[in-house]
């Protein structure tokens, strides 16, 4: 990455920046992630502490999605002919990297993005992530920031008011933030997020559901451990799974005992289905067999 001398936007002192202008996901699998995360062309001023992205023309390319996007920061004030002069060599570089059979018409019609946000949205849209989905995610993030900024005494009331937003995607977002802060070494923020997670588990209907599921998983693991001590067979494992009191326990038993659900296990289950006394019992056993097969396929694929 070439180093470029520029001046700090705040204090105007000279700084050196590693500049990246061409993000070609076709040749660099990490290019898209760098662009979306904002982790590129970073100005870090030692004089005043300013941190931000250097304003420079950008090109994004993804051959699989047939995307060729350009962005010119408005603060550069570049006329169209100057934009074309700067962008031309980068587009030529993209084209030259591709074999002849992949050089399609989109390469000669790059899409100009008016803002960095529209560029990000266009990239995500090609991945099936719509603006509406991004807006919903932003609402969850705003609520999360609001909950972290108020006192624990006020938090319970806000949780009750906004409970409809505290759903599965909200808890997924919270879990990812906890993991990210731990990986980043920010133990204090991770503790704050974990404490908030406990409050949400205790004070929301979806949190209660998650706790119930967690208990079912613990009970499933415990039942497998107890059965193993007395000698776990395919037949006894089958009885545990078929008699599971909830979907969560059923799924947990199948997942944790995946290695025991082999060809012989399903042969025995098929015999049970054929020997069932009623058509209704056959249908119930058949449905559970199909559930087991679906779960094991997912595990094996992963």
């Amino acid at each position: 990455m070439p180093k470029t001398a520029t001046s700090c936007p705040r204090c105007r002192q000279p700084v050196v920046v590693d500049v990246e202008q061409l993000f070609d996901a076709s040749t660099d699998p990490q290019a898209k992630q760098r662009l979306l995360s904002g982790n590129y062309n970073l100005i870090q001023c030692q004089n005043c502490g300013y941190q931000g992205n250097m304003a420079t023309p950008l090109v994004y390319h993804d051959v699989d999605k047939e995307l060729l996007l350009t962005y010119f920061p408005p603060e550069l004030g570049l006329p169209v002919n100057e934009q074309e002069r700067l962008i031309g060599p980068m587009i030529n570089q993209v084209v030259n990297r591709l074999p002849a059979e992949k050089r399609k018409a989109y390469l000669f019609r790059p899409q100009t993005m008016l803002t960095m946000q529209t560029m990000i949205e266009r990239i995500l849209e090609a991945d099936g992530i719509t603006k509406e989905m991004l807006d919903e995610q932003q609402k969850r993030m705003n609520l999360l920031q609001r909950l972290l900024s108020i006192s624990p005494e006020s938090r319970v009331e806000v949780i009750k008011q906004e409970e409809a937003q505290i759903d599965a995607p909200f808890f997924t977002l919270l879990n990812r933030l906890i993991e990210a802060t731990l990986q980043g070494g920010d133990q204090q923020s991770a503790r704050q997020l974990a404490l908030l997670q406990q409050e949400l588990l205790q004070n929301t209907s979806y949190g209660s559901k998650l706790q119930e599921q967690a208990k079912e998983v613990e009970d499933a693991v415990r039942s497998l451990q107890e059965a193993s001590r007395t000698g776990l067979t395919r037949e006894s494992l089958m009885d545990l799974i078929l008699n599971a009191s909830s979907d969560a326990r059923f799924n947990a038993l199948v997942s944790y005992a995946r290695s025991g659900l082999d060809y012989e296990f399903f042969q025995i289950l098929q015999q049970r289905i054929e020997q069932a006394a009623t058509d209704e019992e056959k249908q119930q056993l058949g449905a559970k067999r199909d559930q087991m097969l679906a779960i094991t396929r997912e595990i094996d694929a992963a």
Side-chain angles (χ1 to χ4, degrees):
M1 227 177 290
K3 294 184 180 295
T4 298
T6 185
S7 56
C8 171
R10 181 188 293 163
C11 69
R12 313 310 301 175
Q13 290 297 308
V15 290
V16 176
V17 181
D18 291 324
V19 175
E20 182 176 14
Q21 293 180 294
L22 174 58
F23 295 82
D24 195 343
S26 310
T27 58
D28 179 3
Q30 303 302 317
K32 177 163 70 173
Q33 184 57 37
R34 283 198 304 279
L35 186 65
L36 295 178
S37 67
N39 190 26
Y40 61 91
N41 301 342
L42 295 176
I43 295 174
Q44 296 179 318
C45 181
Q46 301 297 320
N47 183 61
C48 69
Y50 173 85
Q51 291 186 335
N53 299 98
M54 176 182 169
T56 186
L58 302 176
V59 173
Y60 175 80
H61 176 239
D62 186 333
V63 67
D64 295 328
K65 304 291 173 53
E66 295 191 3
L67 278 184
L68 183 59
L69 312 178
T70 65
Y71 170 64
F72 295 88
E75 58 265 39
L76 295 179
L78 295 175
V80 174
N81 60 339
E82 182 65 12
Q83 292 180 12
E84 292 175 351
R85 187 186 69 81
L86 291 173
I87 219 74
M90 286 185 271
I91 292 177
N92 288 338
Q93 189 176 343
V94 167
V95 174
N96 292 336
R97 287 174 176 173
L98 292 173
E101 65 272 13
K102 290 192 175 183
R103 296 177 186 177
K104 299 182 180 179
Y106 78 94
L107 293 167
F108 307 102
R109 296 193 301 269
Q111 302 173 55
T112 301
M113 302 291 104
L114 297 180
T115 67
M116 193 63 212
Q117 183 61 31
T118 56
M119 176 178 259
I120 290 172
E121 289 174 1
R122 182 70 186 88
I123 294 169
L124 293 174
E125 182 185 4
D127 288 337
I129 302 172
T130 65
K131 189 176 187 304
E132 289 73 21
M133 294 165 68
L134 292 174
D135 290 341
E136 287 298 316
Q137 186 78 331
Q138 188 59 53
K139 287 179 184 177
R140 295 186 187 99
M141 182 61 78
N142 292 341
L143 174 57
L144 184 55
Q145 291 172 337
R146 181 183 172 195
L147 290 170
L148 289 169
S149 67
I150 58 180
S151 66
E153 295 76 22
S154 306
R155 199 176 286 161
V156 174
E157 185 62 31
V158 174
I159 289 172
K160 289 179 180 177
Q161 293 171 359
E162 305 292 346
E163 186 169 354
Q165 289 192 60
I166 303 173
D167 51 10
F170 186 93
F171 275 98
T172 299
L173 172 63
L174 182 52
N175 282 332
R176 287 178 178 170
L177 287 173
I178 292 172
E179 291 172 3
T181 51
L182 285 172
Q183 290 173 0
D186 189 349
Q187 299 291 332
Q188 183 178 353
S189 295
R191 279 194 296 271
Q192 289 177 337
L193 290 166
L195 288 172
L196 174 59
Q197 185 182 57
Q198 286 303 311
E199 288 185 59
L200 294 171
L201 288 169
Q202 294 166 10
N203 293 289
T204 63
S205 57
Y206 191 82
S208 299
K209 181 181 176 181
L210 287 177
Q211 291 188 97
E212 289 172 8
Q213 290 176 347
K215 185 178 183 304
E216 289 288 354
V217 171
E218 290 175 6
D219 290 344
V221 172
R222 192 178 301 111
S223 66
L224 283 171
Q225 291 171 339
E226 291 171 356
S228 296
R229 282 195 289 270
T230 58
L232 186 63
T233 64
R234 291 181 178 85
E235 288 80 2
S236 59
L237 173 59
M238 192 176 300
D239 289 335
L240 274 178
I241 296 173
L242 293 175
N243 295 323
S245 57
S246 69
D247 287 341
R249 185 179 295 201
F250 180 94
N251 294 341
L253 286 167
V254 174
S255 298
Y256 282 102
R258 168 64 189 98
S259 60
L261 275 68
D262 54 12
Y263 179 76
E264 189 174 345
F265 175 94
F266 283 105
Q267 275 190 318
I268 297 170
L269 178 54
Q270 184 60 35
Q271 290 173 4
R272 284 202 188 187
I273 294 172
E274 293 170 356
Q275 294 167 4
T278 66
D279 289 341
E280 182 181 1
E281 187 180 353
K282 286 182 179 180
Q283 289 176 355
Q284 290 174 346
L285 288 171
K288 289 188 176 182
R289 176 201 58 199
D290 293 344
Q291 278 183 270
M292 292 183 211
L293 287 169
I295 295 169
T296 56
R297 279 196 292 266
E298 288 181 12
I299 293 171
D300 295 345

